[in-house]
Amino acid sequence: MSFRWSAHATQTASAVALSALLLASAAKHFRTPKFYYPVVPDYLCRKDEPGSRPNGPLAVMSREEWVASSGLLEVAAAVGLLIPATRRVAADATTAMFTAFLAGHIDAIRRAYGPKGTVAERRIYTVRLPLQAPLILWSWSLRK
């Protein structure tokens, strides 16, 4: 019996691969959350320390809570991509999530090229930002 690779099989393999990537990233959110701190914009972070500047209207969670929440969103997206009945909705949500993450990557690059930025930060965030485009396109392609 010969096996014929179909468009459906390709779509399923792609969904499984993106799901695995999301689960690996989610695990890293909880193992080494500080890795993600630089891509959480300051304007989203609640500041509870005495003497800190006032919180902005979008500052509803601490940096730690944002990282944990995004890790949980990645787990939910990964599971949704694995279930054919929820794949389209999960693909839409994953695309939106990756698109929303652009704000954090742009903010990280802005700070890296600012007066306190280092050469290493510039290198890292200059590479990380364009990686969002293929992730957005990949998740979008799973909507079929």
Side-chain angles (χ1 to χ4, degrees), residues 35-82:
F35 176 80
Y36 295 97
Y37 287 2
V39 293
V40 180
D42 291 338
Y43 59 82
L44 290 179
C45 298
R46 187 180 66 233
K47 297 175 184 74
D48 296 329
E49 302 86 32
S52 66
R53 292 186 302 163
N55 295 321
L58 299 175
V60 295
M61 292 189 280
S62 69
R63 191 171 309 276
E64 296 81 7
E65 291 166 335
W66 279 111
V67 170
S69 296
S70 62
L72 290 174
L73 284 174
E74 288 182 347
V75 169
V79 171
L81 289 172
L82 293 175

Side-chain angles (χ1 to χ4, degrees), residues 84-109:
T86 61
R87 185 168 297 148
R88 184 177 175 92
V89 171
D92 286 339
T94 304
T95 301
M97 179 179 68
F98 285 146
T99 303
F101 288 171
L102 281 172
H105 290 284
I106 291 167
D107 189 62
I109 234 174

Side-chain angles (χ1 to χ4, degrees), residues 18 98 128-141:
L18 183 54
F98 285 146
R128 273 179 90 174
L129 178 63
L131 290 176
Q132 288 303 111
L135 291 172
I136 291 167
L137 293 172
W138 187 6
S139 60
W140 183 257
S141 75

